[in-house]
Amino acid sequence: MSYNLEDKKNIIYLRNQLINAETSSLKKIYSSEEDYAFFLDTLNIALDSEPIFFILDEAIIKKAEDVLHEKRFDYRHPDFNTVINEIIGRINELRTVPENIKNIQRRQYVAWQQKVRETSFSGKEDFLRALAYDAQLMEKLYCGHIGEVDPIYFFSSTNYLAKVLPEFYQDDEERINLTMAQLDKHAKKRWIWNYPERAFAKDAIKNIQKLKTKEE
């Protein structure tokens, strides 16, 4: 099943929340009927399109389940029950996958992410921070001001968004301009110890330039 731009952006924000936010905070964020419905829809789509994310760390799937069950019986609506049952079914399927198969799936998922992001990760925590940074970068670009960035995560997320969500940049040329200006700063840094940063920045510039070429 294919999903639209809004669905993809919502998944990126949900990933950030499930990695960084406290369960208690998420329960408050998604406490109203409308917000809870949004959470159910986004979670269901995320489980369908990117199920391996939820087995990267037990805390991720546990957090999602806790928020799901918080209002499960508060809003009695047939559509809610349908989506909730789908979510529970997807989660149960993930839990029944043998651990050796999960390990293979995790390695494949990380390998794909590294290829798209054109970088590597030192471990699980580093990888999760990179996934969470996608939403942080999107928010900066929505606000029209990038400000201070963590260079490696900035390059990683720029490459990821440019390849997986090119419409995000193409919908607003100013996002491309802001990104290019930031990348250019890193690409022009002097001294030998800044060589890796310059190289990463130049590669990211090429990916953003491809978006401008497609627009023209």
Side-chain angles (χ1 to χ4, degrees):
M1 186 179 295
S2 61
Y3 296 104
N4 60 35
L5 177 61
E6 285 303 310
D7 292 331
K8 294 175 183 177
K9 289 193 293 187
N10 292 339
I11 289 172
I12 288 173
Y13 277 100
L14 180 63
R15 278 196 325 217
N16 175 285
Q17 291 176 330
L18 292 177
I19 292 169
N20 286 337
E22 296 293 332
T23 303
S24 57
S25 297
L26 292 180
K27 287 179 177 179
K28 290 178 182 177
I29 291 171
Y30 296 114
S31 60
S32 72
E33 185 172 5
E34 183 178 356
D35 290 332
Y36 184 65
F38 174 80
F39 171 78
L40 293 179
D41 281 338
T42 305
L43 177 59
N44 199 28
I45 292 170
L47 283 163
D48 179 54
S49 64
E50 206 168 337
I52 311 307
F53 166 72
F54 292 88
I55 61 172
L56 293 176
D57 191 302
E58 177 62 25
I60 291 173
I61 202 166
K62 178 68 166 56
K63 200 177 292 185
E65 285 183 307
D66 286 346
V67 178
L68 169 73
H69 291 299
E70 178 71 8
K71 295 293 181 178
R72 182 181 176 184
F73 300 108
D74 288 12
Y75 305 121
R76 298 188 178 279
H77 192 289
D79 289 344
F80 279 30
N81 292 334
T82 300
V83 177
I84 288 171
N85 288 335
E86 286 183 10
I87 291 171
I88 292 173
R90 295 185 195 281
I91 290 175
N92 288 339
E93 286 180 11
L94 286 176
R95 290 198 184 281
T96 58
V97 175
E99 193 60 32
N100 63 319
I101 301 299
K102 286 182 181 179
N103 288 333
I104 293 172
Q105 292 174 331
R106 291 184 189 107
R107 287 195 295 270
Q108 291 174 336
Y109 181 76
V110 173
W112 179 81
Q113 290 278 352
Q114 289 182 151
K115 182 179 179 180
V116 171
R117 295 171 186 274
E118 300 182 30
T119 189
S120 59
F121 305 102
S122 59
K124 183 175 72 175
E125 294 306 316
D126 186 35
F127 180 52
L128 292 177
R129 280 196 293 271
L131 295 183
Y133 199 85
D134 296 340
Q136 294 170 236
L137 177 57
M138 285 176 61
E139 194 62 25
K140 287 174 180 286
L141 290 169
Y142 273 126
C143 293
H145 178 66
I146 292 181
E148 293 297 317
V149 298
D150 184 310
I152 300 304
Y153 293 134
F154 171 64
F155 304 147
S156 163
S157 291
T158 297
N159 289 333
Y160 177 81
L161 294 173
K163 295 175 184 178
V164 175
L165 210 67
E167 311 97 308
F168 171 70
Y169 291 99
Q170 293 166 338
D171 282 352
D172 187 342
E173 188 177 353
E174 184 59 20
R175 294 171 193 163
I176 292 178
N177 295 335
L178 285 169
T179 302
M180 288 293 284
Q182 185 72 31
L183 289 171
D184 195 51
K185 290 180 185 177
H186 296 281
K188 291 181 177 177
K189 282 193 173 182
R190 296 180 177 274
W191 309 115
I192 191 168
W193 50 79
N194 287 323
Y195 173 77
E197 188 174 327
R198 290 198 302 272
F200 281 130
K202 288 176 182 178
D203 287 339
I205 285 172
K206 292 176 184 176
N207 290 321
I208 295 297
Q209 285 175 332
K210 289 176 184 177
L211 298 179
K212 295 188 73 172
T213 301
K214 289 178 182 178
E215 278 190 313
E216 296 166 357

